[in-house]
Amino acid sequence: MKIRKLLSTMALSALVASNAFATEPVKVEWGDVIRQPWGDPSDPEGANVCSWFQWGQDLWFDYNNDGYPDRFLIGGKHQDLGHAYLFRNEEGSEFTNIPVNIPKLEIAGAVVLDFDNDGIMDLYVQGKKVIDNGEGGQNRENYTAIWRGTGDPDNPFEHAVQQEIDELGIGESEGQHRGYFCAAGDYDNDGWTDLFMTGWARKDESWHVILYRNNQGVFEEVQNPVGEDGEGIDPFKTITTGSVYLSDLNKDGYLDLIVSGNDQTNGWVATTTIYFNNGDGTFRETTQQGFFEGQKSGTTFTADVNNDGYPDILEFGDFKNSDTETNNTVGNLYINNGDGTFADPLKTEVTNLLTARAMPAIGDINNDGKIDIMIQCGWSSTDGQTETDYSLTNLYYNNGDNSFTREFLNDNTNSHESDVNFIDFNHDGALDYSISGWGPKEPNWFNRAVPNNLTSDLAMNEAPEFVSNSDVQVKQDGSDVIIFWGNATDDTTPAEAIRYNIYIKAKKADDFGVTYTYTYAPASLQANKIFGTTTYDSKVAARLINSHQIRMKGFNTTDYEFAVQPVDNGNLGGKFIVANVAGGSGIGNTQVVTANVYVNNGTIIIESDSSTAYVINTIDGKQIVNGICDNKATEKVNQGIYLVKVANTTHKVCVLQ
């Protein structure tokens, strides 16, 4: 029996109420831990090549472009030598340890990106490098570098020196236990992946959150990226611990930034700040300043919990700002209102964790169309309680009503202070999981990959597809192009929750003989497979688009080919559909309009770059307004939630009086 989605509408006042129509989720039956060369101390036959993997990063991506995601691990226990291992996926059945020259870093972070747009994935790594001091002891120094992918299956990476980024590393101060505060994404939509990173900069001996813009393969630090109308006047907040995360929160086609951690400029107070992308190279702080509770040793990330197409925010970690505070952890779910604001925080099974330094895995693991979450806790405050309550890694099934059903996993997953992923490493259509870290019981360290056993109640996930392939189009707009597309459908994931991947490919080889230019989320253009942990995740420089159009800067329809791929909540991609040039190939001349919708003082405001029609409906579908927007329109409405349809896109807004 295939699990079918249940759709329901809910008003703002009902967000915290239980949905009577939600069904008990079908739970996954996990297979046996696979015996692989990364080792497992509980397996006498396992090769112990990656012991004490702690305070590091576990990344899945296809380094050799063979269609299967490979595994890269970097990091190590404090005062240990650290690790840097690459395991090649041999068609999902076994893995081979491939030697790499990347330093074995402690307290390490990494992100996967194609920084030079050659179609081969590269690595940015940062952390603490152990060196011999020549006196029989060891010193530790900050290390940052980009390692370029070679495409050679047996010699996968070569060092790529990048100007000033070696000035930013992870600090060595006491209490700095995390090194993977980095993210990558194309924030300015120019087709080149940019870097966001945190750490201790030697140049001024202070903490930073720094944006490095990728200028066609050369990184340049962006000074003062925070401001209005292209005028950057301020830097990002300076934080330690915490996290940085990229997500298009308002569906305007540009990546926004979430910064959480210990705020150095405000007495080392736990904080969470959203920076909305202005689309002109700068960011602006959210109007809800001080709204988020904040965390300073954990993770703040996004997931579309309610399947409305807008990423929601989950925030959890250490909150203790003084010795007098008794509650030292925070966990919140902020539902996205669809207008650039977020609803008051909800407490769920996920956010009620007594934990800090936690890492999430996100995706639909039981093929019911809803986003599920696995949390690996950094530490737990449940000492003295039952062993079940003390479990450090748990699975949370999405019930479909903003609540979750918690499943305790066995001791094989009872680990912390490292990483966890959902990834379909065997290409059977179901998300498996990997986990690494340290646990409270013998054997203390864990490094495992576990397959998802499909059952009769968990049908094979089917790929989404476009309702009409002819709806995928591209239009020239000055020096930019606008790629736009219609709806896609899926067997389980609601249409509103389907996200989209794009590729841009040069029609002629460049001076270096390269014809492949850019893919937003790593994927096979032939097999349509998604490579890596790309679902709401900044560990792989990937971007699945929430809306139905995007403006790409500096491209044209003459020299480049464009294609769009629908992707469901199970991270399964449908076919790439090559975009028709609007006005050609028998398709009528189509006007593409870019529109922005927001709320101010009880008024819905619509802004567009050209004249366009709009409709405003209530949440239950009743039309209350229709009109024409000539650059700007305003509509005064009563308090409530509304759907604004304009420029082939629906915006959900929340109006408060």
Side-chain angles (χ1 to χ4, degrees), residues 502-576:
I502 66 170
Y503 79 66
I504 303 173
K505 184 168 60 175
K507 295 179 180 179
K508 298 180 181 179
D510 60 17
D511 295 339
F512 302 97
V514 176
T515 56
Y516 171 90
T517 303
Y518 191 65
T519 300
Y520 251 44
S524 168
L525 307 188
Q526 291 74 39
N528 305 302
K529 296 291 187 183
I530 300 291
F531 300 146
T533 49
T534 61
T535 304
Y536 301 105
D537 200 336
S538 294
K539 290 185 288 188
V540 176
R543 172 141 172 229
L544 297 175
I545 300 165
N546 301 346
S547 62
H548 285 252
Q549 68 175 33
I550 187 168
R551 177 184 293 270
M552 299 299 299
K553 300 180 178 180
F555 293 94
N556 61 72
T557 58
T558 301
D559 299 325
Y560 295 93
E561 174 185 278
F562 309 87
V564 183
Q565 175 192 38
V567 182
D568 66 15
N569 279 337
N571 210 33
L572 182 63
K575 293 181 179 180
F576 277 99

Side-chain angles (χ1 to χ4, degrees), residues 8-19:
S8 63
T9 58
M10 37 184 112
L12 180 63
S13 62
L15 283 177
V16 298
S18 175
N19 187 339

Side-chain angles (χ1 to χ4, degrees), residues 283-295:
F283 294 80
R284 67 186 185 278
E285 283 196 38
T286 174
T287 58
Q288 293 181 292
Q289 296 184 25
F291 174 74
F292 300 94
E293 192 167 1
Q295 57 86 9

Side-chain angles (χ1 to χ4, degrees), residues 10 33-34 68 89 103 151 210 213 230 246 266 285 297 348 364 366 395 420 495 546 563 630:
M10 37 184 112
V33 176
I34 62 173
Y68 286 85
N89 189 339
I210 295 182
R213 178 178 178 268
L246 295 170
N266 189 31
E285 283 196 38
S297 183
T348 71
D364 179 15
N366 58 355
L395 184 60
V420 63
N546 301 346
D630 289 315

Side-chain angles (χ1 to χ4, degrees), residues 633-648:
T634 59
E635 297 288 352
K636 187 73 174 180
V637 297
N638 296 325
Q639 179 174 319
I641 299 177
Y642 298 90
L643 301 176
V644 183
K645 298 182 179 181
V646 59
N648 199 35

Side-chain angles (χ1 to χ4, degrees), residues 580-602:
N580 294 297
V581 178
S585 304
I587 300 174
N589 191 17
T590 302
Q591 182 185 32
V592 180
V593 179
T594 300
N596 183 38
V597 179
Y598 59 97
V599 175
N600 187 24
N601 294 326

